[in-house]
Amino acid sequence: IGAAGLIGSGVAERLAENGRTGDLYLIDLHENLVKAHAIDIAETQVIAGNTWTRLHAGPPADGTPVDLVTLAASTPEVPDGNRRDFLAANLRLLGTLAPTIRSLAGTGGIVLILSNPVDILADCLARIPGIDPHRICGYSLTDTIRFRMAVAREPGAHVGDVEALMLGEHGGHQVPLFESLTLAGSPVRLDAAQQARVMEDVNGWFARWSALKPGRSTGWATPAGVSQIVQAMADGSPHPAAVWTGDVPGLPGTFIALPAAFDGARLAARPDLLPAGAAAGLSAAAQSVAEAARAALAAVR
């Protein structure tokens, strides 16, 4: 949903190439753009060697539910703001799209939210009757990628050798797992000054992007990341995502980024993969998201 936009069309192109989808339905108010993207992507499929995935401009004609609904529809991002600046407008958009999302997801489909702020919107969607919160998640892989890149700069390492996770809220209450960093497979410890520089780098990303005045949101990393997350869902392997925390001891029922895995029926958090030192930060992040979701819904009503 939102397949004509920068993020949505990029995700569609990636999913059409990765071979994990049998039928890919592109939905957007701009039907002419969706049809144009489908023509372009079909030619890309030939180049990439995957002509198995079938492209459709529009939803399933017979109303058949799908396995995965990807929500990329969003109001335009603006410079000098933050992710929560998009909340009110995107929440109204979510309310408009909720019946379509419920219909497409049916009783078993997963809903993957890409629109910002992903964790708060996921919480709000879960409060709308009809979709089990275990079938809702928010995309958060890019936070981890930026964290890995910032960590790699400290020892001057290759980012491909760094394993790291950034969890919590997609925004103000991020939780970096410094305790579990590895470099080329071995544990690595950053001192307080290095950790401070890493977080300054991560927290300053949005301001640096906005200062460029690009007139667009980021558009390449998220589609690549979504393709990777879909692969992880298919394999059942753990990956970071904003998932339901109602089953996690010590956390309120909301959505924050945690290690999670798809078990064939739902996305389940994997608290067993968390270091003990992350508990306080994750609790603060969950409280922040839950409070923001409640306030946003009250304001819209």
Side-chain angles (χ1 to χ4, degrees):
I1 302 177
L6 177 64
I7 295 292
S9 60
V11 168
E13 190 275 334
R14 284 282 183 160
L15 295 181
E17 282 190 33
N18 72 4
R20 284 294 186 182
T21 52
D23 289 275
L24 185 59
Y25 299 92
L26 312 183
I27 303 172
D28 199 286
L29 290 176
H30 302 284
E31 295 180 4
N32 61 321
L33 287 179
V34 164
K35 291 176 181 178
H37 281 306
I39 292 170
D40 201 4
I41 292 171
E43 294 171 356
T44 304
Q45 286 182 278
V46 177
I47 295 171
N50 171 35
T51 55
W52 179 68
T53 298
R54 295 170 294 275
L55 299 174
H56 308 268
D62 59 0
T64 302
V66 299
D67 297 314
L68 176 67
V69 178
T70 305
L71 179 62
S74 175
T75 57
E77 296 189 4
V78 296
D80 306 320
N82 61 56
R83 295 176 180 98
R84 286 199 181 184
D85 288 341
F86 318 127
L87 177 55
N90 279 345
L91 182 53
R92 287 191 290 271
L93 182 58
L94 180 65
T96 300
L97 293 172
T100 300
I101 294 170
R102 281 199 302 265
S103 175
L104 287 168
T107 59
I110 298 295
V111 180
L112 174 59
I113 298 176
L114 310 183
S115 311
N116 274 319
V118 293
D119 27 36
I120 299 173
L121 290 177
D123 185 305
C124 293
L125 182 61
R127 296 170 190 265
I128 299 173
I131 303 179
D132 186 328
H134 294 100
R135 297 194 289 118
I136 300 170
C137 64
Y139 173 79
S140 66
L141 181 61
T142 311
D143 290 334
T144 284
I145 300 305
R146 293 166 187 161
F147 182 44
R148 287 177 55 196
M149 294 174 73
V151 167
R153 292 186 187 104
E154 285 302 312
H158 189 281
V159 66
D161 291 333
V162 174
E163 287 298 327
L165 277 178
M166 178 70 85
L167 303 178
E169 182 182 359
H170 183 55
H173 287 81
Q174 293 182 312
V175 181
L177 299 192
F178 284 109
E179 307 96 318
S180 55
L181 295 178
T182 64
L183 180 59
S186 299
V188 61
R189 296 289 178 264
L190 300 184
D191 61 32
Q194 289 176 311
Q195 291 186 24
R197 286 194 296 269
V198 166
M199 292 312 297
E200 182 179 8
D201 188 322
V202 171
N203 291 332
W205 181 90
F206 196 82
R208 294 194 301 272
W209 174 268
S210 295
L212 297 173
K213 307 291 184 185
R216 61 185 282 272
S217 66
T218 55
W220 304 114
T222 296
V226 169
S227 178
Q228 191 173 102
I229 292 298
V230 170
Q231 178 85 30
M233 285 184 186
D235 297 339
S237 56
H239 59 277
V243 292
W244 176 243
T245 59
D247 302 329
V248 181
L251 296 181
T254 187
F255 288 78
I256 58 172
L258 293 171
F262 182 59
D263 64 8
R266 64 177 198 160
L267 279 162
R270 292 286 306 274
D272 56 301
L273 300 179
L274 294 171
L282 293 175
S283 178
Q287 291 289 348
S288 173
V289 172
E291 291 171 6
R294 283 194 295 268
L297 285 171
V300 169
R301 288 171 184 154

